[in-house]
Structures are given as C-alpha cells and as structure tokens.
Amino acid sequence: MINQLSWKVGGQQGEGIESTGEIFSIALNRLGYYLYGYRHFSSRIKGGHTNNKIRVSTTQVRSISDDLDILVAFDQETIDVNYKELNDDGIIIADAKFIPKQPEDTKAVLYAVPFTDIATELGTSLMKNMVAIGATSAILDLDITVFEEVVQEIFGRKGRQVVEKNMQAIRTGFDFMKKKLGNIQKLQLEKADGKKRMFMIGNDAIALGALAGGCRFMAAYPITPASEIMEYLIKKLPAMGGTVIQTEDEIAAVTMAIGANYGGVRAITASAGPGLSLKMEAIGLSGITETPLVIIDTQRGGPSTGLPTKQEQSDLMAMIYGTHGEIPKIVIAPSTVEEAFYDTAEALNLAEEYQCPVIVLSDLQLSLGKQTVEPLEIDKVEIRRGKLITEKLPEIENKGYFKRYEVTEDGISPRVIPGMKNGIHHVTGVEHDETGKPSEAAENRIVQMSKRLRKIENIKFKTPVHKNVPHEEADLLIVGFISTRGAIEEAMARLEKDGIKTNHAHIRLIHPFPTDEMMPLVKSAKKIVVVENNATGQLANILKMNVGHAEKITKLLKFDGNPFLPHEIHTKCKELF
Amino acid sequence: MATFKDFRNNVKPNWCPGCGDFSVQAAIQRAAANVGLEPENLAVISGIGCSGRISGYINSYGFHGIHGRALPIAQGVKMANRELTVIASGGDGDGFAIGMGHTVHAIRRNIDITYIVMDNQIYGLTKGQTSPRSAAGFKTKSTPEGSIEQAISPMELALTAGATFVAQSFSTDLKDLTALIEAGIKHKGFSFINVFSPCVTYNKVNTYDWFKENLTKLSDIEGYDPSNREMAMQTLMKHNGLVTGLIYQDKERKSYQELVPGYKETPLAHAELQLDEEQFDKLVAEFM
Ligand SMILES: Cc1ncc(C[n+]2csc(CCOP(=O)(O)OP(=O)(O)O)c2C)c(N)n1
Ligand code: SF4
Ligand SMILES: [Mg+2]
C-alpha cells in the first residue's frame, strides 16, 4: 500500500492530454485524496509536447514530486522526455498504436495498451484518454464507478449515449490492464478520507478572493497565466450587478480600474510581466492621486515575451520599484492557494485603507497549478474601507474644495467618491495641495510627499512572514516566496532527517519589507539559502538590503522555466554542510 | 437648480490669453447647468496637455490623469457610477497620438460618456511640436522642414469606428458648442465632440481667422441629415473635415451600459460588498 503517488500523462498538445488529467484528478479529489497537478505546456495550441503531472496523496501536498510512478504516454516523445523521472518500480502505459519502445536505462516496466484501437472500436478514437484512465485505475486498483459522476458532468450535455460510451471505454481499458497485470499489484493506493474538498488553480482562488473581498468590476487584457481570473469573474460578476471589460490593452485596463476605484467601486486588474510593464506609469498615478488599486501579477518567464508558459519569479524588483518617482506601494505574495484567496480579498481592504496601489504577486506555478484546497471560510473575510466617508458632509463655503489630501498624522486622508455633496475636490497626477490643486511650491512638495510615504510605514498585515521555525538556533534558514513553499517544506523535512537544524521563512509581505520579523531569524541562523525562480537572486538581494548579513546568504536560483523540485533544494542545501 | 456660475471654481486658468480652451471651459459649464446637473454629479476627466488642465477649472469632481488616458479613466468612473455625468477631455495629441487606441475603442464600446477634444493641431504644453492633426507641410520645432505625414481625420475615423454621436465645433461659437455638448450629454452612448480650439502661441497657421475662413456650418448645407452616415462621410470628405455642427447621431443603438448582462440600475459604487454564506457556498461547491 502506498499513500502517495505520482502520475503523469503526456502527448501532443491538443490531443486531450489536459482532459485526461482533469478527469483523473477530479475523480480522485472526490475520493478524498489531496491532489497537486502541474501542467507543462507551450504557447502553441496544437502540437508540441505537453504533459500533466499529478501527485496524489492522503495528506496535503504543495509541490511537484521528484519522481514518477506511472507515465501514461500517447507518443514516443512522452516516453523519451519523461522516463528518467520514473522510479525503479515505475510503470509506463503507452498507446500500442505507436509501437512504444522501452527505454534501456530504466527498470520501469512498459505496458503497451491499445488506447486508440479500443476507443475506435467503441466509436471514436477521441476516447483513447478514457481507455488510459481505465488502465491507470487497474494499476491502482481503483473502483471505476467513481468516474461515472465526472463523466456524466462533462459529457452529460451530449446525451446518455456519449456518457455510456465513455464509461465503456474506461471499463474496457480497466479490464484490459487487469488481465495484463495478472496478480501483480505494486501500486495499490491507501484509501482516502472521502471528504469533499475544493480542487482549484491559484487563479480560481484569486478570482474567488476578489469576489469575497467585494470586487465588483475588473478591467483586463488577456495574457498567460492571468486570463483565468477575468474569465472566472465575467461568469460570476453579472449576478452581483458588476462586470468585466476586456480592454484594448493593459494601459486601458489599469487606468479603467483606477477610474472605477476613484468612482467608488472595488475594481481590480490582472496581468503578467508584459502587461505590468505597460501599467507602470498608471501605478504611479494611483500612488500620487492616492486612488486605491489592486493589481494581480501572475509572473511568468521574462523578459519581453520570454518564456510565456513557464514558471519564473523575476518581476519582484519591478513590482517593488516599478513606476518612476516614489510612491507608497504594497506588494503581497501568497504562498498557497488558500492564501491566494485570503490575500486577494485583503488586498482590496489594504488598497482602500492605505489609498495606494496594492500588488498581489503570484507566479505561474501558483496561478495554474491545480490542487486540493482546505475549506475557505467567508467569515474570515472582512470588508474594511478605511477613511472612506459615507455620511453627509458639512457645507463648504466660497466654493472651497474638500481636503482630500489633508495632512494627517498617519498620512491617510479622508476620502470621498464623486457624487457626494460638499465633497468636491480635484485629483491630479501633478503634485498638489491638500485640496488637490496643482502646486509646485517646495514646502508643499515635501509635506505631500512625506504624507504619502508615511502611510505604509506602519502597515498592518496579519502574517508578513509564514514561519516554520522549530529551532531557536538553526544551522540553516531557507527563505522563499510564493509557490516554492511546498518544495521547501519537503526539502526541510529531509534536511532535518539528515541532522541539519532547519528553519523556513516564506515572505508574504514583500513591500514594505518585514525587517523586524526577518531579523531574528536571520541572526539566529548559521547559514541562509534563498530559493527563487530567477537568474539574479532578487529576493536574496532584497533580504541583504533590509537585514544585512550578506556573508551568510547563498542564492539558490532556477531559471530554466521549471519549478523547483524538493530534491534540488535538499541537495543544494546539504552541500553547504 | 445650479447655474453655470456654480460650475466655476476659484482657480485661475494658466492658459495664455486668447487660448481657445477658455471657451470650451465656458461651454462645458453652461451645458452642465442647462441640462440640470448639480456640480457634484459631474465628473470631468482629462488628459495631459494645456487642454488637460480643464478638469481643474470646473467646479465639479475632476480627475487629471496621465497623457493619453483620459478615456479609459472616464469609462471606469462611469462604470462605477452610472448616475454620474462623465466628460472626458484633452488635446489632439492626447486623444489622437498617444491615446488613439483608447479613442477608437471607446467609440466602438459606446459607454455613455462625452468626449471633448480641444484640437489645436499642435502640441501646446510641450511648446510647439507637430501633432497628428498638423497638416502636411506644417512647420514646427519637431518638423523644421514641414510635416511629411498625413493628418488624421478624427470625424471620419469616428464614423468608421462605429460612433453613435459625432460632432465638431469651433471654440468661438459658444452657443453652438454649448448646444452640442448638451446634446452629447443627453445622448445615450459615447458622444464625441472635436472642437477647433486655436493655440495662439504656437500655431500661427490654424488661427481664429483661418478657421473663420475655412469652416462650413452643417446648418448651412441644405438637406443635411445627421442620421445619414453615408451623407456624413461624403460631406466630411468633400469639406476636408472642416465642418461644424452635429455630423452624425445614431439614436437607435443601445449604450454599453444597457447591454451589459446583469449590470445594475443602482450605481456599482453603492453595491453590497459582502457575500453571504449561501452565495459563497454555491461558488465553492462548483470547485468540488
Ligand atoms: C507619457 C508621456 N509622454 C510625453 C509627455 C509630454 N507631453 C505632455 S502634453 C504633451 C502633448 C500635448 O499636446 P496635446 O495633447 O495636443 O495638448 P495641448 O497642450 O495642445 O492642449 C506631451 C507630449 C507626457 N506628459 N507623458
Ligand atoms: S500654449 Fe497654446 S494651447 Fe497652450 S495655453 Fe497657450 S495658447 Fe493655449
Ligand atoms: Mg494640441
């Protein structure tokens, strides 16, 4: 019996690889297993190798696994590209149609199963992925009735016959494989708890978090890997009176969101690196006009078009410092799907409370990785609107303006939205006085600039650093952000077994940097490894800049487009001792 | 009820004496009063340029944004609060160079706002470079030998982009301009008004006298019918775009707001932000 399994399906893009993975994982999720799926894809729609690697476990997993138990191959390329990941007792099940060749240097066993032929015989070769699911189920000794519900949901619209045919394909694949295996049953999965849990990608959680956090308008321009956020919200917002506008470009998206926030609705925009580059000037506008704004950046491989469908965390510096001039800005970085939900909702609060741009920094692995999620609780989501005035305002004499930029101790000024009587004031990206009127006076400049920057000095954010710190004095502190969390956690467990006292800090409030939280952890560690998916070590540099101790810090960088695997972190950290 | 004086604030414009933009400001103030607005129900969103300063000179809510982006900001404001009257405005460089993409798309999107361009065929604020409205051969600091590019025809462009309200005016025709802005505000959909607004400092060719000599009033053309798009296009071509008045209006097409599925009658800005448990559970169940 095993309590954890790694399964991968691969073939040519556009061949139904995605749906194979999807059906398999939805069914297993319903049985109560924890899933973690990561898709390897290219920006082509058809053609090119694609695969979907899914980890199944009886406990929560947040990382791709190092190895592989079962490889389902629809072509030889899938075998050639992926077989090295297979365990010694791994299994390849491949479509007999392409006459699969067993690679020499692996102990994994290859079974040729006539996926295509069985499917064609049953009506259409399109169902070959169902046959593959059946064959997989035989290896794992799964009760295939679990697929009935899923197949019904997916093909129900197409009629009962289609549903029945697809189930038949699963059954035939199952029976065929059972016969082949005889009484060999190497990979029997431990039973899961049967609990119903959500199964979603990070972008789903971001979008749901936006809804829960009161977002009622979104303006966006499609881009990988951010589009799912707008696609989800356009389905859900109309029922709440709101909508999504697909704009002509990202500059329009961000400025429209600024206009909407100024107008009084909670509005967001989302994009990836190329779009964020276009939004930079507007981010400064939000900063100087103190207009709330939430931007989601789902990072992907840069620069320029870079690696559009690959994992990277290289926008960090640009998100902290991007836009000319100096503004207050908040950058938060959720490290799990659950946090992506709560943080997006909270970002909408922070934007209104601090009246500044808030960037929610995600990355491709978090945004698109599909996983089982612990229950999300709506009661934990608050709506806080800061110094927004909703009650009647006193009369202002002589056409004076409302002091929208009143200088206050905490730097945050009362805010009104258009339509309010006696609240008229001017808003401009030009330096201005307390009423918003342009002013170039040196004294005013200092007062207003300081007021704005002061706002976020004492920012309240619940968990600026996710800490797993079993040791007061540690041999090693591993630091990361966003989706590296799962791989670091697994590496840490192995390091502990090796006798290396390891602490883990995952930074969630990127800017302003949580120096006070990080300083003791840095001081009490002998060595520090900063794990990040970029080529220059941006997080490590920020850490050095804020807490010093450069001599202790080692950069562990990966920028080949792929997420970190636990063993890579484990090996590199171990080498330091 | 507010009068045009209520739309005046106590900020002194920093435009050059004689600048065409003064009359555009006055026309907006008059039109706002004439259609019965209160200052707090008007939001003027402007771009960057001499013209862009206009939002600071009107007693209403105002947002002076970034160069070329008045339109998306204005559309965002309107989407947030459909009860507000939203006017976007800026220069010819703002709307037809850096912001041209937004202009075309705002026209075809047809959100119910009014866009007023102060067209002086030059970049005023940056002290006299060529604009996409400068005629071929026009000499400026950036085209010392004369512009070798073709000028844009904003009105023709608007017609081909699917505009539902297209008008042009001359800033000295205060009465006509005011009436057009009123009509634009009342129009259900995107109303686009291009105003010849001379720059007395940097444009010595397209002067007040030049416009007086070269403009034709549509009201003087017998049988002109602003509901006829084909006639509108032909007339513009015939007069090289130098006409004033209501060029085209489509009263049938619904505005964006009227077409958005589910879009509430009450302003989104006043929407309930909290999801109740039942709503949330339903959303969550879809992921199980
Ligand atoms: C992104 C950006 N680029 C350039 C500028 C400089 N700039 C300010 S206004 C302007 C052009 C002004 O011309 P127009 O829009 O016709 O307005 P006018 O001053 O003539 O009213 C330029 C190029 C800027 N503010 N922002
Ligand atoms: S420079 Fe030209 S456009 Fe600018 S204020 Fe002076 S006259 Fe008007
Ligand atoms: Mg101009």
Side-chain angles (χ1 to χ4, degrees):
Chain A
M1 281 280 213
I2 51 171
N3 62 5
Q4 212 180 105
L5 168 95
S6 184
W7 180 88
K8 185 186 265 191
V9 55
Q12 289 294 302
Q13 211 150 269
E15 261 196 330
I17 305 306
E18 209 176 316
S19 63
T20 315
E22 185 78 1
I23 294 168
F24 177 70
S25 36
I26 292 178
L28 281 138
N29 185 66
R30 292 210 180 144
L31 289 174
Y33 291 103
Y34 285 88
L35 283 280
Y36 187 94
Y38 185 77
R39 237 156 38 87
H40 171 101
F41 65 115
S42 67
S43 46
R44 286 156 71 181
I45 299 300
K46 262 196 185 291
H49 173 69
T50 178
N51 67 59
N52 195 348
K53 189 172 181 180
I54 293 158
R55 198 165 175 194
V56 185
S57 171
T58 50
T59 53
Q60 185 152 40
V61 278
R62 290 206 173 99
S63 164
I64 304 163
S65 60
D66 293 313
D67 54 358
L68 189 59
D69 298 302
I70 301 174
L71 176 64
V72 179
F74 284 100
D75 57 11
Q76 188 63 39
E77 190 183 353
T78 299
I79 299 179
D80 298 343
V81 173
N82 299 290
Y83 80 91
K84 287 215 164 105
E85 288 176 32
L86 282 159
N87 289 322
D88 283 352
D89 50 6
I91 295 172
I92 305 171
I93 37 177
D95 194 349
K97 189 165 180 225
F98 67 84
I99 316 172
K101 283 177 278 302
Q102 162 90 36
E104 277 166 21
D105 53 339
T106 176
K107 288 188 184 150
V109 190
L110 182 140
Y111 294 96
V113 181
F115 296 154
T116 306
D117 290 351
I118 292 176
T120 312
E121 216 163 278
L122 288 172
T124 160
S125 64
L126 287 175
M127 297 189 300
K128 63 185 177 186
N129 54 349
M130 295 299 169
V131 182
I133 287 173
T136 299
S137 305
I139 295 172
L140 299 174
D141 201 24
L142 286 178
D143 176 1
I144 51 172
T145 52
V146 47
F147 291 103
E148 275 168 13
E149 203 180 65
V150 185
V151 168
Q152 172 64 37
E153 280 163 30
I154 295 177
F155 299 105
R157 282 178 300 127
K158 298 189 179 166
R160 258 191 54 199
Q161 222 191 338
V162 177
V163 173
E164 193 30 56
K165 281 263 187 262
N166 275 282
M167 274 314 295
Q168 213 177 327
I170 293 179
R171 248 177 266 130
T172 316
F174 183 89
D175 293 344
F176 184 95
M177 195 68 211
K178 270 279 174 206
K179 239 184 244 153
K180 271 219 159 185
L181 289 168
N183 43 21
I184 315 169
Q185 191 76 60
K186 285 193 285 191
L187 295 174
Q188 201 172 11
L189 253 182
E190 220 172 77
K191 278 234 159 4
D193 63 9
K195 271 198 190 139
K196 265 196 149 187
R197 293 187 190 88
M198 300 169 83
F199 179 53
M200 67 203 311
I201 61 173
N203 280 349
D204 293 330
I206 288 170
L208 190 60
L211 279 187
C215 166
R216 295 296 175 263
F217 181 71
M218 178 179 192
Y221 189 79
I223 192 168
T224 302
S227 300
E228 293 79 7
I229 302 169
M230 69 184 291
E231 288 163 6
Y232 180 79
L233 288 178
I234 192 58
K235 278 189 279 178
K236 299 300 169 195
L237 275 175
M240 296 165 196
T243 193
V244 176
I245 293 186
Q246 178 178 325
T247 53
E248 54 274 21
D249 59 32
E250 286 86 350
I251 300 178
V254 67
T255 46
M256 204 179 277
I258 288 173
N261 274 296
Y262 163 71
V265 67
R266 285 192 163 188
I268 65 164
T269 183
S271 190
L276 263 294
S277 290
L278 290 180
K279 290 174 204 271
M280 284 300 167
E281 188 191 10
I283 290 173
L285 178 69
S286 155
I288 191 169
T289 61
E290 309 196 37
T291 308
L293 173 66
V294 172
I295 303 180
I296 319 291
D297 176 22
T298 59
Q299 298 172 94
R300 65 184 213 184
S304 186
T305 308
L307 294 172
T309 61
K310 300 284 187 280
Q311 160 70 0
E312 204 163 276
Q313 304 178 314
S314 55
D315 296 353
L316 182 64
M317 288 290 188
M319 291 310 105
I320 299 173
Y321 298 110
T323 203
H324 57 282
E326 296 157 308
I327 58 162
K329 193 201 279 172
I330 298 167
V331 183
I332 56 179
S335 61
T336 63
V337 171
E338 290 86 350
E339 287 173 12
F341 169 79
Y342 293 113
D343 285 3
T344 307
E346 183 63 5
L348 289 153
N349 287 331
L350 297 175
E352 281 206 297
E353 285 182 318
Y354 296 96
Q355 302 176 12
C356 73
V358 179
I359 295 177
V360 179
L361 197 56
S362 178
D363 58 23
L364 186 137
Q365 189 187 352
L366 176 63
S367 274
L368 298 187
K370 195 158 184 177
Q371 55 185 294
T372 305
V373 172
E374 292 295 1
L376 303 173
E377 293 165 59
I378 188 73
D379 327 336
K380 285 196 185 156
V381 176
E382 303 175 89
I383 305 281
R384 305 187 310 269
R385 308 203 67 179
K387 293 192 186 176
L388 178 72
I389 295 177
T390 47
E391 60 279 3
K392 274 200 171 134
L393 289 165
E395 201 90 33
I396 297 183
E397 300 202 344
N398 277 335
K399 292 188 184 166
Y401 272 5
F402 173 80
K403 282 194 182 172
R404 169 68 185 92
Y405 303 103
E406 189 181 331
V407 177
T408 58
E409 205 177 307
D410 61 7
I412 304 167
S413 317
R415 174 172 154 247
V416 295
I417 58 170
M420 279 278 273
K421 209 171 157 67
N422 301 315
I424 286 179
H425 60 274
H426 191 47
V427 175
T428 173
V430 174
E431 188 56 273
H432 43 261
D433 66 13
E434 285 187 305
T435 63
K437 285 179 193 158
S439 163
E440 291 185 345
E443 203 178 318
N444 175 75
R445 162 69 170 186
I446 296 168
V447 167
Q448 284 293 324
M449 179 61 93
S450 314
K451 159 200 150 27
R452 287 191 294 269
L453 295 177
R454 185 159 77 231
K455 291 192 293 186
I456 57 165
E457 268 170 13
N458 297 310
I459 180 183
K460 287 194 188 72
F461 187 72
K462 215 178 193 173
T463 315
V465 181
H466 163 81
K467 293 180 222 166
N468 181 10
V469 288
H471 309 289
E472 249 173 60
E473 302 282 322
D475 300 320
L476 175 69
L477 169 69
I478 308 181
V479 179
F481 71 135
I482 324 178
S483 64
T484 53
R485 176 148 150 200
I488 293 176
E489 281 170 354
E490 289 182 37
M492 176 174 165
R494 295 179 207 175
L495 288 160
E496 288 277 318
K497 270 196 194 143
D498 296 334
I500 300 168
K501 288 188 198 154
T502 310
N503 283 340
H504 172 198
H506 225 68
I507 301 179
R508 291 184 53 198
L509 176 63
I510 300 279
H511 187 82
F513 193 82
T515 306
D516 294 348
E517 295 263 333
M518 286 303 293
M519 192 62 91
L521 298 178
V522 166
K523 278 193 175 155
S524 63
K526 290 198 187 91
K527 291 184 176 172
I528 299 163
V529 170
V530 183
V531 177
E532 51 191 316
N533 281 122
N534 59 55
T536 54
Q538 300 183 26
L539 185 65
N541 290 340
I542 287 169
L543 186 68
K544 286 180 194 171
M545 199 174 98
N546 287 285
V547 300
H549 293 279
E551 75 290 348
K552 292 187 186 179
I553 297 175
T554 302
K555 294 175 177 176
L556 176 43
L557 311 175
K558 186 174 182 182
F559 50 94
D560 64 355
N562 297 307
F564 274 102
L565 296 173
H567 81 90
E568 294 168 333
I569 300 172
H570 174 227
T571 314
K572 281 275 159 28
C573 290
K574 213 177 153 184
E575 279 170 12
L576 294 177
F577 293 91
Chain B
M1 233 190 50
T3 70
F4 72 92
K5 285 184 187 154
D6 293 310
F7 289 89
R8 284 187 186 156
N9 64 13
N10 42 31
V11 182
K12 195 174 160 292
N14 61 0
W15 291 318
C16 309
C19 175
D21 297 351
F22 282 102
S23 314
V24 179
Q25 176 201 348
I28 292 175
Q29 288 163 330
R30 279 159 203 260
N34 291 353
V35 298
L37 287 176
E38 293 297 325
E40 64 270 15
N41 296 328
L42 172 65
V44 180
I45 316 300
S46 61
I48 301 296
C50 294
S51 45
R53 285 294 182 117
I54 197 163
S55 58
Y57 304 150
I58 293 171
N59 189 44
S60 72
Y61 280 91
F63 196 116
H64 179 225
I66 42 180
H67 193 29
R69 320 298 169 195
L71 279 173
I73 297 172
Q75 292 170 84
V77 176
K78 185 70 181 184
M79 290 309 291
N81 190 341
R82 62 192 302 175
E83 282 176 1
L84 290 175
T85 294
V86 178
I87 293 177
S89 58
D92 46 327
D94 202 74
F96 307 141
I98 192 166
M100 181 51 113
H102 307 311
T103 302
V104 171
H105 289 280
I107 289 170
R108 56 178 277 270
R109 195 171 286 130
N110 203 32
I111 290 180
D112 188 7
I113 62 174
T114 299
Y115 182 37
I116 301 171
V117 176
M118 282 153 268
D119 179 3
N120 54 12
Q121 297 82 28
I122 191 116
Y123 282 14
L125 190 72
T126 45
K127 300 188 165 51
Q129 300 84 5
T130 187
S131 119
R133 288 285 294 133
S134 304
F138 188 64
K139 285 190 179 170
T140 67
K141 284 183 188 162
S142 59
T143 51
E145 304 292 325
S147 172
I148 51 173
E149 293 175 21
Q150 184 63 32
I152 270 169
S153 312
M155 301 288 94
E156 288 168 41
L157 190 126
L159 286 176
T160 58
T164 55
F165 185 105
V166 185
Q168 195 158 248
S169 192
F170 180 30
S171 70
T172 50
D173 295 342
L174 189 57
K175 233 178 94 194
D176 288 1
L177 176 57
T178 305
L180 282 175
I181 297 175
E182 281 174 47
I185 292 174
K186 286 183 191 150
H187 176 74
K188 285 196 166 56
F190 188 80
S191 46
F192 178 22
I193 306 170
N194 191 58
V195 186
F196 297 116
S197 178
C199 169
V200 294
T201 307
Y202 297 110
N203 192 337
K204 306 294 183 193
V205 176
N206 310 104
T207 59
Y208 285 100
D209 288 341
W210 186 90
F211 280 112
K212 265 178 213 141
E213 238 163 73
N214 288 284
L215 287 176
T216 302
K217 284 192 176 185
L218 288 173
S219 52
D220 292 342
I221 299 178
E222 217 182 35
Y224 188 79
D225 173 10
S227 71
N228 184 336
R229 188 154 164 256
E230 202 180 324
M231 185 185 279
M233 192 59 116
Q234 277 177 359
T235 309
L236 283 168
M237 288 174 118
K238 188 170 159 207
H239 294 267
N240 200 17
L242 291 168
V243 296
T244 56
L246 176 60
I247 296 168
Y248 179 70
Q249 185 173 17
D250 176 352
K251 293 182 177 170
E252 302 301 316
R253 202 174 123 202
K254 287 197 160 77
S255 74
Y256 189 89
Q257 283 93 329
E258 292 168 286
L259 295 171
V260 178
Y263 190 56
K264 270 207 185 110
E265 282 298 322
T266 50
L268 265 189
H270 306 316
E272 172 59 46
L273 300 186
Q274 210 103 37
L275 290 188
D276 61 43
E277 200 114 0
E278 195 186 325
Q279 268 176 313
F280 188 69
D281 289 347
K282 247 168 95 187
L283 294 169
V284 160
E286 291 174 8
F287 291 103
M288 297 213 188

